[in-house]
Amino acid sequence: MNSATRSILRRGAVLGLLLALACHKGGGSGEGDSTTAATTTTSGSSSAGTSSTGSCAVPELGCPCGPGMACIGDLVCEAGVCAPPQAGSSSSSSSSSSGGDSTTGGPARCGDGVASPGELCFGVPQLLLMGASPSDIVLANLDGDPALDLASCNSGANQVALRPGDGAGSFGARTTVDTGPAPWNLGVGDFDDDGHLDLVTVNGGGTSITWLRGASNGSLTSGGDFGIGMAPQQLAIADFGTDGRDDIVVSNGADANVGVLLADPAPFAAMTTFGAGLAPRGLALALISDDDDLDLLVANSGSNTIGLLLGNGQGQFGAAASFPVGNEPRAVAGGDVNGDGLGDAVTAEGSGGITRLLGNGLGSFGAALPFANASSPNDLALADLDLDGDLDLVVASGGDATLRVLVNDGGGDFDEVAQFVTGATPFAVAVADLDEDGLLDLVAANAGSDTVTIVLTSA
């Protein structure tokens, strides 16, 4: 999904066992747009909407609680009812690790303010209005302050919506800027080397991208539309040269190719194309071969393959090698998932499968290894969520409107540990530290409900 460059993290560690959800931190809103709490379920739960705790919408003070329904905040579950904690007790609503890696020598636990490797603590999901059919999101510092801002491309309104972040996990009033028809995918980069981040949209209702030039105050103005291929899908962004200008790669679904638009000569050179499989969709740039040049991963939804195009570092790619995966791969991410220092790939398939391809460091992959399932997943992201040095996985599961979190054991095996109910049809997911606590938070673009879902993590 999100189309910024995805680099490999070469690290390894041992993962503790993740259990439940943590304390609540809310998101903000602006211009009358409300922020509402959603429902979190632990691994294996498939419930949606509000919880089934009697008349309680959430497990607050005096509400029923039990396995799979932890109390919010610092409340503890006593005799099946949420109650204030007693002196010396710990909140049962906190996620905890049984790895015994806390600084006190016992198991790490949420709410102690100490981020321990293997510990993963979640807040209550919040919904924030963005506009008509947000299909992608970026999290970036667009206005020059330390906080990350939130932008979405709203395909139902032909607009990009922007909300400035406050550095505490909340966002201010929404502004919009017009784009081409049906902006489908969104990327961020500095395309004119002016020191300000810009945005670019893939316009699914036409054959163009729209460049939105950034300014020091976070405002966006149109830099023009630029022609690409037929049925464009997604993009990836990186600086392939040494000119300080980010370049663009886009998948052209009806042309069975990917196109590269270099930002030199300014604003963009004519698109150069490279063959891919049928109906290419998701893209990722990652270090797959044993050099330092970014390679390109392509999810070919029409040929049920992942394409690997080895890069030369100058925005040119070799012939695509194809690797079979499950039916209708929609998204792909690259990174070292098994700790061997080599680049791997993970795909999300429309048929429901999640598959990994382990790299050999020579520009190739082994056989596809399915390892998880979701409901019509649309996007995924690899990131070290629990600070143990391994890449974990977040999946936007469109069919059942959930975000799914899978933790890595360090050897490339993943265990689903949490699900979060989102708005309808989560179409994209992004991971970043929104509240500046050193921990990665989750955001999903809900194309079917005009919202994003925000899940903050804590220690």
Side-chain angles (χ1 to χ4, degrees):
M1 166 261 21
N2 200 292
S3 34
T5 300
R6 307 183 188 196
S7 300
I8 296 173
L9 307 180
R10 296 183 172 95
R11 315 172 215 163
V14 178
L15 181 69
L17 177 66
L18 181 68
L19 299 179
L21 64 123
C23 56
H24 174 206
K25 294 182 182 178
S29 61
E31 295 187 341
D33 294 331
S34 63
T35 305
T36 58
T39 300
T40 305
T41 64
T42 55
S43 179
S45 172
S46 59
S47 63
T50 57
S51 68
S52 57
T53 55
S55 60
C56 297
V58 293
E60 300 173 317
L61 181 65
C63 291
C65 59
M69 184 54 64
C71 302
I72 65 170
D74 293 327
L75 300 178
V76 297
C77 191
E78 297 287 351
V81 177
C82 292
Q86 302 298 315
S89 67
S90 63
S91 170
S92 66
S93 67
S94 296
S95 300
S96 64
S97 162
S98 60
D101 54 3
S102 98
T103 55
T104 62
R109 61 186 178 89
C110 295
D112 60 5
V114 178
S116 302
E119 178 186 67
L120 191 52
C121 312
F122 293 114
V124 175
Q126 301 292 316
L127 292 176
L128 182 63
L129 289 171
M130 290 303 291
S133 301
S135 54
D136 200 9
I137 45 177
V138 298
L139 301 166
N141 184 356
L142 298 173
D143 56 9
D145 65 10
L148 293 179
D149 308 306
L150 170 64
S152 68
C153 57
N154 300 333
S155 59
N158 301 334
Q159 291 179 334
V160 161
L162 174 66
R163 286 184 179 271
D166 67 356
S170 297
F171 295 90
R174 179 182 54 188
T175 58
T176 61
V177 60
D178 292 339
T179 68
W184 181 262
N185 198 235
L186 183 64
V188 61
D190 184 359
F191 303 110
D192 53 4
D193 193 24
D194 66 352
H196 307 308
L197 289 177
D198 312 315
L199 298 179
V200 63
T201 65
V202 172
N203 301 319
T207 57
S208 70
I209 60 171
T210 296
W211 175 30
L212 300 174
R213 301 184 66 182
S216 59
N217 62 358
S219 63
L220 298 169
T221 57
S222 178
D225 290 358
F226 301 87
I228 50 176
M230 298 291 293
Q233 297 294 306
Q234 297 189 16
L235 51 76
I237 294 172
D239 182 4
F240 293 119
T242 58
D243 57 3
R245 300 171 183 265
D246 286 315
D247 307 302
I248 296 173
V249 185
V250 62
S251 54
N252 300 309
D255 295 332
N257 65 31
V258 296
V260 175
L261 292 86
L262 299 178
D264 186 20
F268 295 103
M271 183 178 66
T272 302
T273 60
F274 302 89
L278 296 177
R281 182 168 168 174
L283 298 177
L285 290 162
L287 297 173
I288 303 299
S289 60
D290 59 355
D291 58 23
D292 293 326
D293 299 324
L294 289 170
D295 306 308
L296 181 62
L297 297 167
V298 186
N300 298 312
S301 62
S303 53
N304 301 330
T305 61
I306 292 300
L308 172 60
L309 291 77
L310 300 183
N312 68 356
Q314 301 299 315
Q316 296 178 334
F317 296 92
S322 296
F323 302 88
V325 292
N327 291 333
E328 195 194 345
R330 296 176 174 177
V332 61
D336 178 12
V337 301
N338 62 347
D340 63 357
L342 305 176
D344 311 309
V346 180
T347 72
E349 296 139 10
S351 57
I354 310 294
T355 299
R356 64 180 178 268
L357 296 163
L358 299 181
N360 61 9
L362 301 176
S364 186
F365 295 113
L369 301 169
F371 65 91
N373 289 282
S375 177
S376 189
N378 289 313
D379 196 22
L380 52 76
L382 286 170
D384 183 9
L385 299 176
D386 55 4
L387 304 181
D388 68 349
D390 308 318
L391 291 178
D392 306 305
L393 183 63
V394 185
V395 179
S397 185
D400 59 2
T402 61
L403 273 182
R404 303 186 181 206
V405 178
L406 297 88
V407 294
N408 190 339
D409 69 353
D413 290 324
F414 292 83
D415 181 30
E416 183 176 310
V417 296
Q419 293 183 17
F420 302 97
V421 175
T422 65
T425 320
F427 209 77
V429 62
V431 179
D433 182 7
L434 301 179
D435 52 3
E436 301 177 9
D437 63 354
L439 303 171
L440 294 175
D441 308 302
L442 315 179
V443 183
N446 305 317
S449 63
D450 302 342
T451 63
V452 297
T453 295
I454 300 171
V455 182
L456 299 180
T457 59
S458 63

